[in-house]
């Protein structure tokens, strides 16, 4: 089984809908991240969490919210989806004990907002 | 914060040749630098890490160098194969205890 899983893998939705993307990990890592990737823009950090009680905004958090339900689960919500949130979304984890912050990514969720 | 620069143009290379990618950064030199591979529609996968006191690191057909004077890392794929076709991202500490990623450089190995 994959160490970092994301659901759904693909989602098409309409403007104004609320969407939740879920991430689960079995690596036992404390740190979890949400990124979005757009062609030509690379990976951009949306939110990150260093433990269950710690949530931090990344560089592009507007329009998104997150919930860290447990050490192994980190969800990303789009309260009211808009077309420019169409992108590939990745969850990642890293080990708090690893000062290099090497990250392990999930397979991604392709989100299309019409 | 760090600015990370990777060539936006794809590198097309003949099978069997050595592919060389460049990662340049501004500002301070990080304590380490990482390289990841990303296949289309999939998440990046960690390949190699090199520390500031290491000039070179190897893993099978991959070689990474780190020149803190030039503020540059080179990533080499020797004896390239079509299966090496992918986008390669460099990443380094952004100064606030987080990793920052370059935009990636695509490699296309032509049989």
């Amino acid at each position: 089984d994959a160490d970092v899983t994301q659901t759904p893998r693909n989602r098409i939705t309409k403007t104004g809908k609320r969407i939740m993307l879920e991430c689960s990990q079995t690596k036992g890592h404390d740190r979890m991240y949400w990124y979005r990737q757009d062609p030509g823009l690379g990976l951009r950090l949306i939110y990150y969490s260093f433990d269950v009680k710690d949530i931090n905004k990344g560089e592009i958090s507007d329009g998104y919210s997150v919930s860290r339900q447990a050490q192994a689960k980190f969800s990303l919500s789009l309260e009211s989806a808009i077309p420019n949130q169409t992108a590939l979304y990745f969850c990642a984890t890293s080990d708090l004990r690893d000062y290099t912050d090497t990250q392990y990514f999930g397979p991604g969720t392709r989100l299309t907002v019409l | 914060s760090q600015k990370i620069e990777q060539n936006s143009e794809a590198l097309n290379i003949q099978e069997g040749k050595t592919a060389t990618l460049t990662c340049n950064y501004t500002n301070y030199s990080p304590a380490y630098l990482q390289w990841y591979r990303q296949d289309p529609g999939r998440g990046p996968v960690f390949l190699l890490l090199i520390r500031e006191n290491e000039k070179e690191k190897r893993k099978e057909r991959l070689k990474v160098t780190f020149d803190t004077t030039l503020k540059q890392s080179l990533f080499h794929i020797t004896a390239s194969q079509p299966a090496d076709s992918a986008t390669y991202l460099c990443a380094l500490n952004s100064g606030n205890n987080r990793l920052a990623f370059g935009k990636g450089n695509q490699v296309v190995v032509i049989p």
Side-chain angles (χ1 to χ4, degrees):
Chain A
D1 287 341
D3 294 321
V4 184
T5 57
Q6 293 183 235
T7 55
R9 295 293 315 279
N10 289 283
R11 182 70 184 268
I12 299 173
T13 191
K14 294 182 178 180
T15 297
K17 294 290 187 181
R18 184 178 188 274
I19 296 296
M20 180 180 285
L21 308 183
E22 299 187 343
C23 176
S24 294
Q25 54 113 348
T26 59
K27 298 188 75 67
H29 289 169
D30 291 299
R31 292 175 173 161
M32 297 187 76
Y33 307 81
W34 274 105
Y35 293 90
R36 68 177 278 175
Q37 188 174 44
D38 300 272
L41 294 180
L43 287 166
R44 292 185 291 168
L45 184 63
I46 306 172
Y47 271 96
Y48 62 102
S49 169
F50 284 179
D51 66 39
V52 175
K53 297 179 181 179
D54 176 76
I55 301 289
N56 303 281
K57 292 182 178 180
E59 56 184 306
I60 54 161
S61 59
D62 287 349
Y64 302 94
S65 62
V66 291
S67 173
R68 184 83 185 265
Q69 300 95 323
Q71 187 205 37
K73 296 185 183 295
F74 193 35
S75 300
L76 176 72
S77 293
L78 288 68
E79 296 301 326
S80 180
I82 55 177
N84 77 359
Q85 291 178 313
T86 293
L88 194 52
Y89 289 84
F90 290 106
C91 173
T93 74
S94 68
D95 188 344
L96 192 62
R97 296 164 295 179
D98 178 6
Y99 75 93
T100 68
D101 199 28
T102 297
Q103 295 188 13
Y104 300 86
F105 286 80
T109 294
R110 186 170 296 280
L111 177 66
T112 303
V113 183
L114 301 176
Chain B
S1 62
Q2 287 277 19
K3 185 178 178 183
I4 304 168
E5 296 170 347
Q6 293 188 259
N7 196 337
S8 58
E9 288 188 24
L11 175 65
N12 295 304
I13 191 159
Q14 207 69 37
E15 182 176 3
K17 301 292 186 182
T18 297
T20 298
L21 305 179
T22 303
C23 175
N24 294 300
Y25 57 91
T26 60
N27 302 336
Y28 63 91
S29 280
Y32 53 87
L33 189 145
Q34 305 182 29
W35 284 90
Y36 291 73
R37 169 184 172 140
Q38 186 175 21
D39 292 285
R42 306 188 74 169
V45 175
F46 170 73
L47 294 175
L48 279 167
L49 179 148
I50 185 165
R51 291 180 168 78
E52 61 180 338
N53 61 351
E54 297 174 318
K55 295 298 182 187
E56 182 180 296
K57 198 78 168 280
R58 291 176 184 261
K59 178 182 177 182
E60 298 173 352
R61 293 183 296 104
L62 306 180
K63 185 179 84 171
V64 172
T65 63
F66 193 6
D67 189 325
T68 56
T69 301
L70 294 178
K71 295 187 177 180
Q72 180 181 86
S73 175
L74 298 179
F75 177 85
H76 306 272
I77 307 171
T78 58
S80 59
Q81 304 169 0
D84 296 325
S85 298
T87 296
Y88 293 87
L89 293 80
C90 71
L92 47 86
N93 188 289
S94 65
N96 48 5
N97 213 31
R98 294 203 312 270
L99 206 58
F101 289 85
K103 295 179 181 179
N105 195 178
Q106 185 184 10
V107 171
V108 178
V109 181
I110 303 162

